[in-house]
Amino acid sequence: LHQFGRLWHGEKCLDFNDLAANEILSLAFSRFQVETVSLDIMMPALKRIGEMWHQGLISIQQEHFATEVISRRLQSLLLAAPNPVLPGRIIIGSAPVDSHSISALILAVLMRNKSRDVIYLGANVPSDQIQKMVTKTRPVLMVLVSTTVQSVLPLILQRKNWDSLQTGLVITGRILSVYPQLEKVLPGKVVSGNFQNGLNQIESYLD
């Protein structure tokens, strides 16, 4: 798995080799489960690429290219996922002003792969008129993924709107592991820790 990740981001994505990058992902998916590839290859590779960008080792164009390759693959997996058979609809998206959608998209793919009924909203889900959507779609749970401090602030400032939702609300994301004290001021249930633990905890709210 580690070798797949290094080959993917080190020799293909950073060289803007779209065909080769996708071939490596296809080979990985042919050998491993969707959850394994998503959590053990895609996410570590993107984390490493993000770190390299912050350190000035790669360009923003290389970082965007890698993110786009993974985003396209995840979107195709979401479309190809089995029809939902388990009860309980779940809405998944990124928190307000959070432009990072990969974590939310991976969560949506994994939930759909578990035959869950998922509505995926993408990045930057605002509170405006969200109750109308909840009333219309009747989810049992809404999950918002927050990856930055900036995306946490609207949740805190508009807590009254989010707390009034007539459905369960879960806030998750890496920023909550960095600042665990946020749990005291955020609406809904807060799920922190690694992605796998978060996935299991969110599933427990659906059962």
Side-chain angles (χ1 to χ4, degrees):
L1 287 173
H2 182 63
Q3 194 172 21
F4 267 107
R6 289 187 61 185
L7 179 63
W8 184 79
H9 74 70
E11 299 179 19
K12 307 305 175 185
C13 262
L14 299 186
D15 289 335
F16 302 104
N17 193 331
D18 199 343
L19 179 62
N22 276 287
E23 285 179 345
I24 292 171
L25 286 179
S26 295
L27 181 60
F29 279 113
S30 72
R31 295 188 179 184
F32 307 105
Q33 298 291 326
V34 169
E35 188 169 321
T36 301
V37 177
S38 299
L39 301 186
D40 297 335
I41 295 178
M42 287 182 167
M43 292 195 76
L46 284 179
K47 180 181 178 182
R48 176 57 184 150
I49 286 173
E51 291 170 347
M52 291 171 71
W53 174 68
H54 280 293
Q55 294 166 6
L57 300 176
I58 64 173
S59 68
I60 188 63
Q61 290 81 11
Q62 289 171 302
E63 189 272 339
H64 279 202
F65 176 79
T67 301
E68 184 60 25
V69 169
I70 282 187
S71 181
R72 290 200 311 266
R73 179 56 64 102
L74 290 170
Q75 290 282 1
S76 67
L77 290 171
L78 192 60
L79 289 172
N83 292 330
V85 296
L86 296 176
R89 175 172 287 166
I90 178 173
I91 297 175
I92 298 175
S94 296
V97 307
D98 197 327
S99 61
H100 301 88
S101 61
I102 294 294
S103 294
L105 186 50
I106 287 177
L107 180 60
V109 167
L110 297 184
M111 285 295 183
R112 277 294 306 273
N113 231 42
K114 295 174 181 288
S115 298
R116 296 287 185 182
D117 185 1
V118 174
I119 297 176
Y120 173 65
L121 296 183
N124 186 16
V125 177
S127 64
D128 299 348
Q129 300 187 10
I130 193 66
Q131 184 57 59
K132 289 184 178 180
M133 179 189 180
V134 168
T135 301
K136 185 174 183 178
T137 58
R138 296 187 174 185
V140 298
L141 197 64
M142 169 175 272
V143 179
L144 296 176
V145 180
S146 182
T147 62
T148 66
V149 172
Q150 289 81 2
S151 66
V152 169
L153 292 178
L155 294 170
I156 298 172
L157 295 174
Q158 300 169 356
R159 179 168 181 165
K160 185 177 180 180
N161 291 355
W162 294 106
D163 277 338
S164 65
L165 283 180
Q166 296 174 359
T167 187
L169 176 66
V170 169
I171 310 296
T172 189
R174 66 188 178 199
I175 197 64
L176 303 176
S177 296
V178 179
Y179 301 105
Q181 63 270 29
L182 288 171
E183 182 174 358
K184 298 177 181 178
V185 294
L186 282 168
K189 295 182 175 68
V190 172
V191 173
S192 56
N194 66 47
F195 201 102
Q196 183 63 64
N197 289 340
L199 180 65
N200 294 339
Q201 196 167 342
I202 290 168
E203 274 203 285
S204 73
Y205 296 142
L206 294 168
D207 296 328

